Amino acid sequence: MDLESPPARIPWTSAACALQMEDPIQLKEEGNKYFQASDYEKALQSYTQAIKLNKDKALQAVLYRNRAACFLKKEEYAKAASDASRAIDINASDIKALYRRSQALEKLGKLDQAFKDAQKCATLEPRNKNFQETLRRLGANIQEKLRIQFSTDSRVQKMFEILLDENSDKEKREKAANNLIVLGREEAGAERIFQNNGVNLLLQLIETKNPELILAAVRTLSGMCTGHKARATAILHYLGIDSICMWMSVDNEEISLAVCNLLQTITDCLLGQGKEEHHGKEEALVLDTKKDLRMITMRLLDMLVSKKVSGQGRDRALNLLNKNIPRKDLKDHDNSRSIFVIDNGLKKILKVVGQIPEMPDCLPLTENTQLTASVLLNKLYDDLRCDPERDNYRLICEEYIKSKIDPQNMDKTLHAVQIVSGVLQGPFDLGNKLLGMKGVMEMMVALCGSEREIDQLVAVEALIHASTKLSRATFIITNGVTLLKEIYKKTKNEKIKIRALVGLCKLGSAGGTDYGLRQFAEGSTEKLAKQCRKWLCNTSIDARTRKWAVEGLSYLTLDADVKDDFVEDEPALKAMFDLAKASDKTILYSVASALVNCTNSYDTKELVPELVQLAKFSKQHVPEEHPKDKKDFVVKRVKRLLKAGVVSALACMVKADSAILTDQSKELIARVFLALCEDPKDRGTIVAQGGGKALIPLAVEGTDVGKIKASHALAKIAAISNPDIAFPGERVYEVVRPLVSLLNTERDGLQNYEALLGLTNFSGRSDKLRLKIVKEKALPDIENYMFENHDQLRQAATECMCNLVVNKEVQERFVADGNDRLKLVVLLCGEDDEKVQVAAAGALAMLTAAQKKLCSKMTQVTTQWLEILQRLCLHDNMEVQHRGLVIAFNLISADKELAKKLVESELLEILTYVGKQEDHPKKQHIINVARDCLTKCMDYELIKPLSRA
């Protein structure tokens, strides 16, 4: 039997049984039955097994064409065309195989070949209307394709003529450039540009040295490369990696970024991460991309140490290495790219982190270059899989640092200290080991006492980074605090002064001592904070130095008086927010830390009263809450921050590159957002300033604590906001998963409750949202909370379920055998809590209206069903009563026998009593339902018509 035979019932045997058969004819029959039942995967298995066992040529042709039909259904068109071709090789007149190959070729865009096959089919069966219609359609499509092709070719030629003509009107040139970019993003347009010497013409545009034309050319090339490995590889080879890196090295931010995007697009294609797949166009090409990827990596590493490369270009090279070298998923065992970079480029990265901007021989840098290099060092170190790999990494670093230490050359030694400082900002554990190298710590302390300002600057920074570790902080407190205090008091260089202050602040925090803060400031941290705010607002000081002021404030705002003064200083807040938008790793963390302190969104340990009394009895110091850390003051600070535009600043911070925005920074930002969302009145402002959008990535990526905090903030917004405004478009579906994650029993009651409120709000918006909630497996958790002893949780869960039961999939779960879902809802209708009753009765009313099976099932789940229903119909709350009467109407309408059972009960008296009441505007909807119930009973002839008194 071929596929065109009449449908047959499938014997429900497993695919495994079919595969164990040895008869290819039997396997073919099984495959046909599976195909008729639309189970194409099992049909494929049967046909494939039959092909392996079969030796008859005629049957083999049938099997191949049948398998081609399966591939067509699965939209695997290249495989369908291949199988159909095999069938045609056996029988050139196999009309079914010819037609299936024609269908597959059409889908692959090979219209001319598809037309030839359709033509053969029409020749073999000239009266077949289906073949004639296919021929007409393909002919029209070919004509249209040719028209567009010739039109596109002429458009491309015209665009290049305008762009390469120096005398062309400026407006025309701009329009042509934009059109070319758009065309390059379309598959058909990209292919026409590529086939018509377009890459060479684009290269000519780049060589004009006109920035606008260069941008247009580079962006067009990016569009042409997107998702097409063969074309991307050809363009890479034609342009040459050296030329691409040279263009990326220019001191023009737009051009450098555009070329970086081009190289990233090419790299994505080589790594197989393109956005699209072009089935059938590259099937025959086997491209070895490893050689090209290594070539790109080597050129990027060379860029790091080249003086010809601009600071922008160096940043781009570092960003590309950060993004493409370390593994995305540590479950992938292949870390060969990281090993290659460590072996061939680690010293080059160390050279970048060891640069001192104030020295004349420094490479061109931006404010972010060295920090980005430190991030790369960290990512490479984290990507290593075993101790021998980490030891090799450490030995390369130690060897390089030792080569820089020269007692006779202080400048060279200074670079060694700067390298250690840079590593401490990257893989901290490694940096801590490097600090243990003989003489390194002593060298830092000694440089603090140098007469040269550059020595002091580098040494103080290194001490600050080293003091993060308590063991090192103790050494510095013993040996360096006096020096830092002296430097602060004596130096006139603001850059050094501010770093010394931050060092003292950090030591006070890391060492658990008052050396750095109270003793130095004579008991007043406000004095230090005021100086930091002054530096922060001084725009004549370079941005890098002002960032140190923010870091100082991130420690000082632990003091309640300082944080209160800080939020009142609007210019200082604005200056901090402006710096935060610059997207620097350190500044992001420092700003977030300061805001966490100001909003008191850090974790605090609750004092056990018994332990407090015990401590007092033993005359130990018991820390007391500062008056300005009480709730009223915190609320005022939050309002002040909102007024100053903190949400916009946080939204900008969240958009920072992943190399800059660390998981720790994300957690701090999430904490701040949660504190800002505390007052429902402020949530509209937060949404309006982009807070809702900013919270979504924070809830998905980062530390576990950070994701929970961000999810909770989203729940607070989702609970009371219009989802269409708070999370417009498809964004609302991204919020569902974070809300569902808060239903976990490990989360606290408030998180559970507000997540349920948010899901209730969402489930009332659309069926698509309801389906998304179901797909995220929220239903079992919501049902669990319907059993909760906590009234508010039970109420929220029941209200959420009331909205969800509108969805057919949810209804089917209630209909399914072997569950107590319906019983739970019925019993909740009998609860004393009115809000729970309203929600449960609403759910039951919708379920019994949508599914007649549930009407009879309701009478079986509990013996209390009738008593509960009667209580609903007599309830004082009109909303509950109305829903109860609707349930009664649904039961009566579902089945005459069920209606008879209700008529024989006291429910008839209740319906009669309600139905005979005088018309009343406020109760009319209730009276009408009762009358509808009675009318239905009369239709069944269960009761006689009765007149109203």
Side-chain angles (χ1 to χ4, degrees):
M1 184 184 74
D2 201 0
L3 293 182
E4 285 70 20
S5 303
R9 182 179 64 83
I10 287 187
W12 294 109
T13 54
S14 68
C17 292
L19 291 176
Q20 287 170 1
M21 296 176 186
E22 296 295 329
D23 184 1
I25 296 174
Q26 178 98 25
L27 283 164
K28 188 200 81 163
E29 294 296 328
E30 287 295 318
N32 291 347
K33 290 171 184 177
Y34 282 125
F35 187 93
Q36 298 294 346
S38 301
D39 193 341
Y40 306 119
E41 193 57 50
K42 286 183 180 176
L44 266 176
Q45 291 175 10
S46 297
Y47 294 140
T48 302
Q49 186 69 2
I51 287 167
K52 288 178 183 176
L53 297 170
N54 178 58
K55 294 180 181 178
D56 179 73
K57 275 197 171 185
L59 178 58
Q60 198 79 338
V62 173
L63 291 169
Y64 274 125
R65 78 185 184 210
N66 284 6
R67 195 167 74 169
C70 290
F71 283 127
L72 279 173
K73 292 291 186 182
K74 287 169 65 65
E75 298 182 6
E76 295 181 35
Y77 301 118
K79 291 179 180 178
S82 175
D83 270 7
S85 295
R86 288 174 179 176
I88 294 163
D89 289 342
I90 297 169
N91 179 5
S93 300
D94 190 330
I95 198 163
K96 292 174 184 174
L98 282 165
Y99 187 60
R100 283 168 196 164
R101 186 169 74 174
S102 174
Q103 289 176 298
L105 291 169
E106 182 182 359
K107 292 291 185 182
L108 290 168
K110 300 175 182 179
L111 299 182
D112 50 343
Q113 295 176 43
F115 185 84
K116 287 177 184 177
D117 281 344
Q119 214 168 24
K120 287 178 186 175
C121 291
T123 304
L124 290 167
E125 286 189 18
R127 293 184 181 179
N128 190 312
K129 291 181 180 179
N130 195 23
F131 296 157
Q132 295 297 335
E133 177 56 35
T134 302
L135 269 179
R136 277 195 295 274
R137 188 183 70 252
L138 285 170
N141 288 347
I142 289 169
Q143 290 299 317
E144 179 63 16
K145 186 178 178 182
L146 288 170
R147 186 188 68 75
I148 293 170
Q149 184 174 312
F150 290 128
S151 171
T152 303
D153 289 349
S154 62
R155 279 169 62 206
V156 169
Q157 190 177 354
K158 187 70 176 172
M159 285 176 208
F160 279 117
E161 284 175 6
I162 293 168
L163 291 168
L164 291 169
D165 183 0
E166 292 181 6
N167 300 318
S168 291
D169 180 64
K170 185 183 177 184
E171 194 174 324
K172 278 188 177 180
R173 276 184 126 180
E174 285 178 4
K175 189 176 180 182
N178 289 330
N179 288 342
L180 194 63
I181 294 167
V182 171
L183 200 62
R185 289 172 183 164
E186 299 169 1
E187 171 53 26
E191 191 61 24
R192 297 319 306 157
I193 296 171
F194 186 74
Q195 296 293 345
N196 285 278
N197 195 33
V199 180
N200 180 44
L201 293 169
L202 289 167
L203 188 55
Q204 288 180 43
L205 289 180
I206 293 170
E207 289 169 353
T208 62
K209 297 185 179 178
N210 180 319
E212 290 180 5
L213 296 183
I214 293 171
L215 278 172
V218 172
R219 286 168 179 166
T220 304
L221 286 165
S222 291
M224 292 170 65
C225 291
T226 301
H228 202 296
K229 186 186 287 186
R231 198 157 56 223
T233 306
I235 288 171
L236 172 65
H237 291 170
Y238 189 88
L239 298 176
I241 185 62
D242 291 334
S243 295
I244 294 172
C245 289
M246 181 182 69
W247 301 331
M248 194 164 68
S249 301
V250 299
D251 194 14
N252 180 305
E253 188 173 0
E254 269 197 297
I255 292 174
S256 180
L257 180 59
V259 178
C260 178
N261 289 337
L262 168 61
L263 195 50
Q264 181 60 58
T265 302
I266 292 171
T267 304
D268 284 342
C269 289
L270 296 179
L271 289 169
Q273 296 170 1
K275 289 192 288 186
E276 303 167 25
E277 288 182 27
H278 299 287
H279 297 289
K281 296 188 180 180
E282 301 179 52
E283 298 293 333
L285 290 171
V286 180
L287 300 169
D288 182 12
T289 60
K290 286 185 179 178
K291 187 177 177 183
D292 287 331
L293 286 167
R294 290 203 165 187
M295 176 180 68
I296 291 170
T297 304
M298 284 302 297
R299 293 300 178 274
L300 291 175
L301 290 169
D302 290 342
M303 283 181 70
L304 299 185
V305 292
S306 171
K307 283 200 170 187
K308 295 179 181 177
V309 175
S310 68
Q312 305 265 7
R314 210 174 314 279
D315 283 2
R316 305 299 176 211
L318 285 165
N319 286 333
L320 286 167
L321 290 166
N322 262 313
K323 188 168 184 180
N324 299 299
I325 298 304
R327 290 170 292 169
K328 302 280 189 299
D329 184 355
L330 293 179
K331 291 177 184 175
D332 176 10
H333 294 298
D334 183 14
N335 67 342
S336 58
R337 291 199 298 270
S338 289
I339 298 295
F340 178 80
V341 168
I342 290 165
D343 290 341
N344 295 278
L346 181 54
K347 290 182 179 179
K348 294 176 181 178
I349 304 166
L350 291 171
K351 182 172 180 177
V352 175
V353 298
Q355 293 298 297
I356 301 167
E358 291 77 11
M359 296 188 79
D361 63 341
C362 182
L363 295 168
L365 306 172
T366 70
E367 291 176 357
N368 291 327
T369 305
Q370 289 177 287
L371 204 52
T372 310
S374 294
V375 171
L376 178 57
L377 288 174
N378 190 52
K379 285 192 170 185
L380 291 171
Y381 191 74
D382 285 347
D383 202 39
L384 299 178
R385 294 175 53 208
C386 57
D387 287 341
E389 290 178 356
R390 283 182 277 273
D391 288 341
N392 177 56
Y393 190 112
R394 176 179 54 78
L395 288 169
I396 294 171
C397 291
E398 287 180 355
E399 181 190 329
Y400 188 72
I401 290 166
K402 284 176 185 175
S403 72
K404 295 293 176 185
I405 298 174
D406 184 354
Q408 306 302 318
N409 187 337
M410 190 54 74
D411 286 354
K412 205 174 175 186
T413 303
L414 209 55
H415 282 295
V417 174
Q418 185 78 331
I419 291 166
V420 174
S421 184
V423 175
L424 282 164
Q425 294 174 76
F428 187 80
D429 289 340
L430 172 64
N432 205 35
K433 288 176 183 175
L434 297 179
L435 283 173
M437 290 171 64
K438 187 178 178 181
V440 170
M441 289 292 292
E442 292 79 4
M443 188 165 53
M444 287 182 187
V445 174
L447 285 170
C448 284
S450 169
E451 292 297 319
R452 291 201 315 172
E453 289 188 342
I454 187 68
D455 295 345
Q456 293 179 7
L457 190 70
V458 172
V460 170
E461 275 197 32
L463 284 173
I464 291 168
H465 297 309
S467 65
T468 304
K469 201 76 170 178
L470 184 59
S471 59
R472 303 298 176 195
T474 307
F475 174 89
I476 298 164
I477 288 165
T478 307
N479 298 278
V481 166
T482 306
L483 281 170
L484 288 174
K485 286 159 70 174
E486 286 298 313
I487 289 170
Y488 181 82
K489 288 176 179 177
K490 290 181 179 179
T491 187
K492 292 181 181 178
N493 186 321
E494 298 283 1
K495 293 181 180 180
I496 299 171
K497 199 178 190 76
I498 193 170
R499 286 164 173 78
L501 184 147
V502 172
L504 289 160
C505 292
K506 195 165 186 177
L507 287 170
S509 171
T513 172
D514 59 2
Y515 272 114
L517 292 174
R518 290 189 180 87
Q519 282 192 6
F520 175 64
E522 298 173 355
S524 174
T525 50
E526 294 100 314
K527 178 181 170 184
L528 295 176
K530 188 175 181 181
Q531 183 60 58
C532 281
R533 297 205 307 272
K534 184 180 173 184
W535 279 320
L536 180 58
C537 297
N538 188 351
T539 52
S540 63
I541 300 175
D542 64 285
R544 190 178 174 196
T545 302
R546 289 166 66 215
K547 288 173 186 176
W548 282 100
V550 179
E551 184 162 355
L553 285 166
S554 71
Y555 297 108
L556 292 165
T557 46
L558 285 165
D559 185 292
D561 290 313
V562 169
K563 66 180 83 170
D564 224 48
D565 292 340
F566 183 37
V567 296
E568 292 297 325
D569 190 341
E570 194 169 332
L573 284 177
K574 187 177 182 303
M576 184 175 77
F577 295 158
D578 288 342
L579 283 173
K581 293 171 186 177
S583 298
D584 172 294
K585 176 184 172 184
T586 304
I587 193 70
L588 290 181
Y589 186 83
S590 299
V591 170
S593 297
L595 291 171
V596 164
N597 293 339
C598 290
T599 56
N600 284 38
S601 48
Y602 41 72
D603 291 328
T604 54
K605 290 183 181 178
E606 285 189 28
L607 296 174
V608 180
E610 291 81 3
L611 293 177
V612 171
Q613 291 300 320
L614 184 63
K616 285 180 178 178
F617 179 75
S618 59
K619 296 183 179 179
Q620 291 183 14
H621 173 67
V622 179
E624 293 182 6
E625 186 180 36
H626 193 287
K628 290 185 179 179
D629 276 331
K630 293 188 184 296
K631 188 175 180 181
D632 289 348
F633 281 92
V634 175
V635 169
K636 285 178 185 176
R637 288 199 292 271
V638 166
K639 301 287 183 188
R640 187 73 184 162
L641 287 169
L642 285 167
K643 188 179 177 182
V646 66
V647 176
S648 298
L650 291 172
C652 282
M653 291 164 71
V654 172
K655 291 176 187 174
D657 187 86
S658 58
I660 294 166
L661 185 65
T662 63
D663 286 350
Q664 290 73 24
S665 295
K666 288 178 187 174
E667 180 185 320
L668 294 175
I669 294 169
R671 286 176 180 274
V672 177
F673 265 124
L674 183 56
L676 297 175
C677 290
E678 189 62 34
D679 187 345
K681 294 175 185 175
D682 295 328
R683 294 173 199 172
T685 304
I686 292 166
V687 167
Q689 293 179 7
K693 179 182 176 182
L695 277 164
I696 296 172
L698 295 177
V700 176
E701 295 176 349
T703 65
D704 289 340
V705 172
K707 289 189 284 189
I708 292 166
K709 300 286 184 187
S711 298
H712 193 186
L714 281 172
K716 285 180 179 290
I717 291 170
I720 63 167
S721 305
N722 181 338
D724 299 331
I725 296 171
F727 312 106
E730 296 296 306
R731 199 170 292 137
V732 68
Y733 301 103
E734 298 175 46
V735 182
V736 173
R737 183 171 293 175
L739 297 189
V740 172
S741 72
L742 293 179
L743 299 181
N744 190 310
T745 51
E746 291 180 5
R747 306 285 85 81
D748 64 45
L750 183 61
Q751 291 168 344
N752 301 152
Y753 177 66
E754 292 186 314
L756 286 167
L757 291 184
L759 291 170
T760 302
N761 193 7
F762 279 17
S763 57
R765 304 302 296 183
S766 70
D767 202 55
K768 194 175 176 183
L769 266 172
R770 287 188 280 273
L771 194 60
K772 175 67 176 172
I773 293 169
V774 173
K775 283 186 176 178
E776 290 295 339
K777 300 178 181 177
L779 225 55
D781 289 323
I782 295 168
E783 288 167 357
N784 286 338
Y785 287 113
M786 290 168 72
F787 283 106
E788 264 286 339
N789 290 327
H790 193 286
D791 291 343
Q792 285 180 301
L793 279 174
R794 188 169 68 253
Q795 174 198 324
T798 310
E799 286 174 351
C800 189
M801 185 61 74
C802 180
N803 285 347
L804 286 171
V805 294
V806 179
N807 178 265
K808 284 188 178 180
E809 192 171 325
V810 177
Q811 293 168 10
E812 286 166 7
R813 296 192 184 200
F814 276 86
V815 172
D817 294 328
N819 71 80
D820 289 329
R821 291 188 177 95
L822 188 63
K823 180 179 179 179
L824 172 61
V825 174
V826 173
L827 292 174
L828 286 173
C829 288
E831 286 280 318
D832 293 330
D833 187 325
E834 276 192 17
K835 289 182 179 178
V836 172
Q837 275 188 307
V838 168
L844 193 56
M846 284 187 278
L847 286 166
T848 51
Q851 299 284 343
K852 286 189 177 182
K853 289 181 183 177
L854 293 177
C855 293
S856 56
K857 188 175 181 180
M858 176 182 160
T859 65
Q860 299 161 12
V861 292
T862 173
T863 54
Q864 301 172 47
W865 72 272
L866 187 55
E867 180 190 339
I868 290 169
L869 181 59
Q870 289 170 355
R871 282 177 60 195
L872 291 178
C873 294
L874 281 172
H875 208 284
D876 294 335
N877 184 319
M878 287 195 292
E879 197 174 359
V880 176
Q881 185 183 22
H882 178 249
R883 295 179 181 204
L885 289 165
V886 169
I887 296 166
F889 177 77
N890 294 338
L891 297 180
I892 291 166
S893 302
D895 182 66
K896 185 177 178 180
E897 287 302 314
L898 193 49
K900 185 179 178 182
K901 191 183 291 186
L902 292 175
V903 166
E904 290 170 353
S905 72
E906 292 176 9
L907 189 66
L908 179 60
E909 291 179 35
I910 296 170
L911 294 174
T912 306
Y913 167 74
V914 177
K916 289 175 72 176
Q917 289 180 19
E918 293 291 333
D919 290 350
H920 190 286
K922 288 185 178 179
K923 298 178 67 176
Q924 197 60 46
H925 60 299
I926 294 170
I927 296 166
N928 288 343
V929 178
R931 290 173 184 172
D932 290 342
C933 291
L934 294 168
T935 303
K936 194 71 181 174
C937 291
M938 285 188 279
D939 292 343
Y940 285 144
E941 297 182 350
L942 296 174
I943 60 172
K944 293 179 181 179
L946 40 95
S947 60
R948 274 181 282 141

